[in-house]
DNA sequence: ATGTTTGTTCCGAT
DNA sequence: CATCGGAACAAACA
């Protein structure tokens, strides 16, 4: 579930609450495989101090004082919770980190699509290098995005979901950003002009920043909550995602699957660019 | 019972 | 050979 805003929200809260804490003990569920192996994971993490928590694309990285990183990727249904008296029982817990302030961080994952791994400093660099530009990085330019988009031969919606083109977008924010930029999701990347990319990057930044402001999106399944169990409210501010009628022209919103992902767009406000 | 789901990766097809 | 897109991964819900 989590895309960039949700991952960012989690990383910021964890950084605030975990920096400087020591990991006293690590518990891993028998039915779960941490990477590269559960044994190596436990050995690498136990007794280490957490220096900081950062986000890279949709990954959450806990930097330890020996330079090793714990990587969590939440995929569709992963959760990281900081347990206290308010955050109650949680199912599907796979990993528990016991901290020296008496609290614990749990990683749970209902559908097991997520990932927990330890990375060496070199592997951490390699990870970041695999991803496209970070949309919220001020140094990211429309020209960069344009070149990345032009390297793909598919529609713009698929291109935006490719983490090599741009980091951190998922189905919801790609859908909303295309609506704000007035670009039809089926537009071939070959038809995208530099000025479209400029509008698109602005739109991407707008939806991501707004969502971060609202603490991300929590859908009806309640899968996403922050580490203290709090839901996001960006779903009350969706631009087009999940809507029946266009908020701009009130026309009927089109729904279709693009590469298997539910896509919403307004055919009037997001017309196909003809060659 | 069938169809749906916010992500990523692998494999077959092109 | 590179790239695209469907299927698969697994579980809950309507």
């Amino acid at each position: 579930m989590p895309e960039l805003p949700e991952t960012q929200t989690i990383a910021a809260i964890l950084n605030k609450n975990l920096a400087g804490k020591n990991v006293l003990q690590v518990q891993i569920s028998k039915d779960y495989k941490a990477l590269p192996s559960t044994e190596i994971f436990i050995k690498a993490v136990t007794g280490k101090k957490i220096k900081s928590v950062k986000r890279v694309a949709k990954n959450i990285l806990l930097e330890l004082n020996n330079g090793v990183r714990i990587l969590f990727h939440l995929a569709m249904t992963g959760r990281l919770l900081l347990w206290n008296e308010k955050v109650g029982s949680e199912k599907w817990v796979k990993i528990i980190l016991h901290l020296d302030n008496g609290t614990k961080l749990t990683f749970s994952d209902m559908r097991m699509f997520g990932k927990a791994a330890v990375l060496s400093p070199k592997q951490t660099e390699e990870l970041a290098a695999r991803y496209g530009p970070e949309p919220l990085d001020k140094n990211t330019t429309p020209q960069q995005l344009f070149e990345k988009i032009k390297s793909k031969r598919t529609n713009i919606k698929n291109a935006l979901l490719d983490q090599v083109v741009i980091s951190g977008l998922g189905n919801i924010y790609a859908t909303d950003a295309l609506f704000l930029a007035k670009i039809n999701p089926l537009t071939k990347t070959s038809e995208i002009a530099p000025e479209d990319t400029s509008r698109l990057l602005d739109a991407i930044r707008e939806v991501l920043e707004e969502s971060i402001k609202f603490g991300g999106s929590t859908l009806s399944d309640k899968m996403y909550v922050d580490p203290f169990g709090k839901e996001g409210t960006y779903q009350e501010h969706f631009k087009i995602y999940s809507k029946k009628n266009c908020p701009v022209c009130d026309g009927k919103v089109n729904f279709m699957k693009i590469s298997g992902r539910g896509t919403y767009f307004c055919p009037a406000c997001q017309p196909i660019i003809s060659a």
Side-chain angles (χ1 to χ4, degrees), chain A residues 1 79 217-224 231 235 238 241:
Chain A
M1 23 184 341
R79 269 185 181 167
S217 306
T218 299
L219 301 188
S220 56
D221 64 6
K222 308 289 182 195
M223 276 316 301
Y224 168 72
E231 295 175 14
Q235 68 280 4
F238 282 155
Y241 187 83

Side-chain angles (χ1 to χ4, degrees), chain A residues 62-75:
Chain A
L62 285 67
E63 184 186 0
L64 306 178
N65 58 349
N66 57 356
V68 167
R69 266 73 162 189
I70 306 175
L71 176 154
F72 290 110
H73 195 297
L74 303 180

Side-chain angles (χ1 to χ4, degrees), chain A residues 1 76-78 92 94 108-114 221 223:
Chain A
M1 23 184 341
M76 300 276 265
T77 59
W92 315 296
K94 304 303 174 190
S108 64
D109 192 2
M110 179 178 82
R111 286 166 71 181
M112 299 264 275
F113 292 175
D221 64 6
M223 276 316 301

Side-chain angles (χ1 to χ4, degrees), chain A residues 3-15:
Chain A
E3 305 180 30
L4 187 150
E6 293 78 23
T7 313
Q8 176 73 39
T9 302
I10 293 168
I13 291 174
L14 292 185
N15 186 54

